[in-house]
Amino acid sequence: MAAEQRLKLVNFWSGVMVFCLTLIGLGVGIYQLNEVLTDEQQVPIASLSVQGELIYTDKSEIRQALLSKPLGSFFTADVDSLRQRVEALPWVQKVSIRKVWPDRLSVFVSEHQPQALWNADRLINEQDEVFRADVTKVSVQLPQLFGPEHAVEDTLSEFYRLQKMLSVNGFSIRALRLTDRFAVSLVLEQGIEIKLGREATLERIKRFIDLFPSMMNHENSKENKVDTVDLRYDTGAAVAWREAKSES
C-alpha cells in the first residue's frame, strides 16, 4: 500500500513538472515569436504603394512624411499614426492606409481641390473648408473672397447666390468682400466694382443686370470704362467711369 501511494505521488509531481515545463516552453515560444514579429529586420515593411489623383503633392513628399520616423514592423506599424503624418502635408485632405501581406503599405491620398482664395493667404476647398497651402501652385484663376474669419460660411453663401445670378447673364465674380457689418461688395471679371450694401443683395444685382445695357450705351462709356456701380439705393444706381487705357 505504501509503495502504491509513493507511485501516485511520483506520478502527480511528474505531471506537475511536465505541466510547468510546458508552460515555460510556451512562454519562451511566445516571447521569441513576439521578438520576431516586432523586429523590423525580421518582418520589415519593404515597399510603399502610393495612389490617388495627385496634382499638388509629389509622391516623394508622401514617402518622406511616412519615413520621417521609424515605420515599425509589419505587425507593429501604427496605421493611424502613419495616416496623421501624411495628412499633415498642406495639400493633403484625407488619407487611407492599409497593410498588405507580407510587407507592403498601401496608401491612398485625396487632395484638397481649391475653389477660392480666402483673405489672400489661404484657400477654400470644394467642401467649403479653409486650408493653408502654397497658392502659387494653383494654375487656374480662383475667385478671391474676403471676410471675417468667423464668417466663412456667410461669405461663401453670398458668393454662391450672387454668382449663380450673374453667370446666367454672362458675368463672373473676380473678388467678393464681406465686411464685419456684413455689407457686400464685389468686383467682376470686367473690373467693375459693385457696391451692394447689407440688404436685398440679389435684388440689387438684378437691378445692375437690368441697368448694364444703359450704362454701356451712356455717352460716358464711349471713351471710358465703368469703374464703380453703387447700388445702395432704393432705386437706380450711382455710376463712376474711369479713363480707358489704350492697349499698346
Side-chain angles (χ1 to χ4, degrees), residues 74-200:
F74 181 85
F75 294 99
T76 62
D78 187 341
V79 172
D80 287 335
S81 176
L82 297 178
R83 174 179 53 77
Q84 291 173 9
R85 294 184 199 178
V86 181
E87 287 183 347
L89 295 173
W91 282 100
V92 173
Q93 182 182 23
K94 188 176 181 181
V95 179
S96 174
I97 298 180
R98 63 186 181 89
K99 300 175 184 179
V100 181
W101 179 259
D103 58 4
R104 180 163 63 92
L105 275 184
S106 178
V107 185
F108 187 87
V109 179
S110 299
E111 287 187 313
H112 293 287
Q113 300 302 316
Q115 65 164 334
L117 285 169
W118 174 249
N119 284 338
D121 63 348
R122 281 157 294 163
L123 297 143
I124 301 177
N125 64 19
E126 292 183 341
Q127 287 71 44
D128 298 344
E129 300 166 334
V130 176
F131 68 100
R132 188 181 295 276
D134 185 359
V135 298
T136 62
K137 285 191 173 185
V138 183
S139 58
V140 298
Q141 185 174 349
L142 298 174
Q144 302 178 50
L145 304 183
F146 301 87
E149 292 297 334
H150 64 273
V152 177
E153 291 184 5
D154 296 296
T155 308
L156 279 169
S157 176
E158 201 65 37
F159 172 76
Y160 291 144
R161 287 174 358 111
L162 298 176
Q163 178 61 35
K164 183 177 181 180
M165 178 174 286
L166 285 165
S167 61
V168 172
N169 293 275
F171 298 99
S172 183
I173 297 176
R174 178 190 300 175
L176 181 145
R177 182 180 297 277
L178 185 72
T179 69
D180 291 334
R181 299 185 63 187
F182 285 78
V184 180
S185 63
L186 56 88
V187 178
L188 300 179
E189 287 296 340
Q190 294 92 329
I192 302 173
E193 180 182 2
I194 302 176
K195 298 179 180 180
L196 298 172
R198 298 173 57 187
E199 301 174 354

